Amino acid sequence: MTEKDELMETESATLLSTYARNPVVFVRGDGVRLFDDDGREYLDFLGGIAVCAVGHGRKEIADAVSEQMRTLVHTSNLYYTEPQVRLAQSLQSLAGWGRVFFGNSGAEANECAFKIVRRFGQNQGGADKFEIVSADNGFHGRTLATLAATGQPAKQARFQPLPAGFRQVPYNDIDALHAAVNPDRTAGVILEVVQGEGGVIPASPGYLAAARRICDESGAVLIFDEIQTGLCRTGSWLGFQSSASTVEPDVYTLGKAIANGLPLSACVAREPVASAFQPGDHATTMGGGPVVCAAALEVLRIMEDDALGAAATEKGTRLASALGGLSGVSGVRGRGLLLAAELHDGDSKAAATAALENGLVVNPVSPTALRFAPPLTVTDDEIDEAVGILSGVLA
């Protein structure tokens, strides 16, 4: 038995069967490239699912984390720590408003959003104002509450009954959203600027503005789930800033890219929603600890210094154009460096498997489409190389 076979056998005996893993053992990363235990090189055009935004193996982040590890790792959130406060200050500057709660995962950030929105809604409108409206095909997490907000019945089916107070409407359907939002019952609306796990589906022109208007008219809080789209992925710091007519939410959530692979997320709320929380209303033991916050501060510095928002727009345009020119691709959608290529033959799983075998990491985001979310540091040559691999696969 090889070491890889032994590792896979041990995995199946020791870990819960929650992932259908690909038969590759990655041991190292460098920039946009991954290396397996046989020394084989891969172009990573998934980026850990839009997580490794500034690339693998960044010395600056490793140094920041190492220094913080030697200084202070954990105190709990019963005390002040400087990295957390400085990171909150940096996030506040992105939109120019908001107070922050730090968690460990995107689902936790959305849980925080639901709780603060319910608290605010009931403070304003009474006990019945607690419902959250979300969109079909959206994705907001795997906890019971975030799963209830996730508009994908196949993911929900095995875990019924889910918590009450959540309902879905078709994405990009303004009339359906208007009909679902009730001034007496709806506390909030949560939407993705681009539905990531739902197939990389961007909001249609005018949809987010209509959601803002509907929420204003009904007294509901507008939440944008920016866990996959935030932090330069779509061409600006935040996905809702990427359109010609910026629509601002009352609450937004971040995760994935914020610490380039370390567990950190954030829920950012503006006034008066932010003041709905009082001490004891919400908490986490390890969220926003010094080490992950030190990493995130370095990530934000790199993104700013290297103008990675502009890079995402420029490189995304190049990648989308190249993908659109492949004979096996019927269409490309998305924003910045969050893209999906719709395939003529509709078998994205087979295409992703073949791409992996040929040294390209992508994933089947839907049965008929491949998702591309490479590090924002990707070069023109790496884009051309990846598209060349995919061209051979589709041929």
Side-chain angles (χ1 to χ4, degrees):
M1 180 183 294
T2 66
E3 288 186 12
K4 180 184 293 184
D5 290 337
E6 191 275 332
L7 185 68
M8 292 178 180
E9 185 175 293
T10 301
E11 186 270 356
S12 66
T14 57
L15 291 169
L16 289 175
S17 299
T18 54
Y19 302 102
R21 299 186 196 272
N22 291 286
V24 177
V25 179
F26 287 125
V27 298
R28 185 169 66 88
D30 183 13
V32 185
R33 298 181 188 272
L34 290 167
F35 301 84
D36 69 14
D37 56 341
D38 292 322
R40 189 179 177 201
E41 185 176 308
Y42 301 74
L43 275 170
D44 182 7
F45 267 57
L46 184 58
I49 314 181
V51 167
C52 299
V54 300
H56 297 282
R58 292 297 298 240
K59 182 179 183 301
E60 309 98 303
I61 298 174
D63 289 345
V65 167
S66 178
E67 178 59 29
Q68 188 60 54
M69 286 286 290
R70 286 191 293 266
T71 306
L72 180 68
V73 173
H74 179 73
T75 66
S76 87
N77 282 301
L78 298 176
Y79 310 95
Y80 296 93
T81 56
E82 186 172 359
Q84 184 181 90
V85 176
R86 297 301 176 218
L87 179 58
Q89 188 176 35
S90 294
L91 293 183
Q92 189 178 68
S93 71
L94 300 187
W97 52 261
R99 287 195 278 151
V100 184
F101 177 87
F102 289 111
N104 304 284
S105 67
E108 288 177 71
N110 284 335
E111 287 270 0
C112 176
F114 297 156
K115 286 181 69 176
I116 198 170
V117 165
R118 279 193 171 185
R119 183 66 184 264
F120 179 77
Q122 291 178 326
N123 286 347
Q124 301 298 309
D128 292 335
K129 196 173 179 69
F130 66 89
E131 287 188 350
I132 305 290
V133 176
S134 57
D136 289 342
N137 217 36
F139 184 85
H140 303 292
R142 300 276 191 168
T143 64
L144 285 177
T146 56
L147 189 59
T150 290
Q152 299 185 29
K155 289 183 172 67
Q156 297 175 332
R158 297 181 184 180
F159 302 101
Q160 299 289 348
L162 294 172
F166 295 89
R167 60 183 306 189
Q168 283 82 51
V169 296
Y171 189 60
N172 282 330
D173 188 329
I174 295 172
D175 291 339
L177 182 61
H178 189 272
V181 175
N182 183 298
D184 297 323
R185 297 195 306 271
T186 306
V189 173
I190 184 168
L191 298 169
E192 295 166 273
V193 175
V194 179
Q195 288 191 328
E197 298 302 316
V200 190
I201 311 295
S204 59
Y207 180 63
L208 299 181
R212 177 71 276 175
R213 183 177 65 253
I214 290 167
C215 286
D216 289 342
E217 292 170 352
S218 64
V221 174
L222 180 60
I223 313 162
F224 285 160
D225 180 337
E226 291 270 9
I227 288 162
Q228 194 159 155
T229 54
L231 300 178
C232 298
R233 175 60 54 185
T234 62
S236 56
W237 278 114
L238 302 165
F240 63 78
Q241 298 169 331
S242 294
S243 59
S245 56
T246 298
V247 177
E248 293 200 343
D250 304 296
V251 177
Y252 69 88
T253 55
L254 295 171
K256 290 193 180 291
I258 190 169
N260 210 54
L262 295 182
L264 181 65
S265 64
C267 175
V268 185
R270 68 192 310 167
E271 298 294 355
V273 179
S275 293
F277 267 175
Q278 299 299 315
D281 283 343
H282 197 51
T284 173
T285 298
M286 291 183 288
V291 173
V292 292
C293 286
L297 284 165
E298 194 60 26
V299 168
L300 294 180
R301 184 199 64 75
I302 292 169
M303 287 180 171
E304 182 172 15
D305 288 356
D306 294 353
L308 292 186
T313 298
E314 176 190 345
K315 305 303 181 183
T317 299
R318 182 184 184 92
L319 178 57
S321 176
L323 291 171
L326 296 180
S327 60
V329 173
S330 60
V332 179
R333 58 181 178 267
R335 288 187 190 171
L337 278 171
L338 179 59
L339 299 172
E342 197 72 27
L343 304 182
H344 279 303
D345 67 9
D347 191 351
S348 62
K349 186 174 181 180
T353 298
L356 186 66
E357 292 169 352
N358 285 273
L360 175 64
V361 179
V362 292
N363 88 309
V365 73
S366 78
T368 60
L370 294 173
R371 172 169 47 184
F372 300 80
L376 307 179
T377 55
V378 67
T379 66
D380 290 348
D381 287 345
E382 287 165 338
I383 288 172
D384 295 345
E385 184 182 352
V387 172
I389 293 171
L390 187 62
S391 177
V393 165
L394 297 180

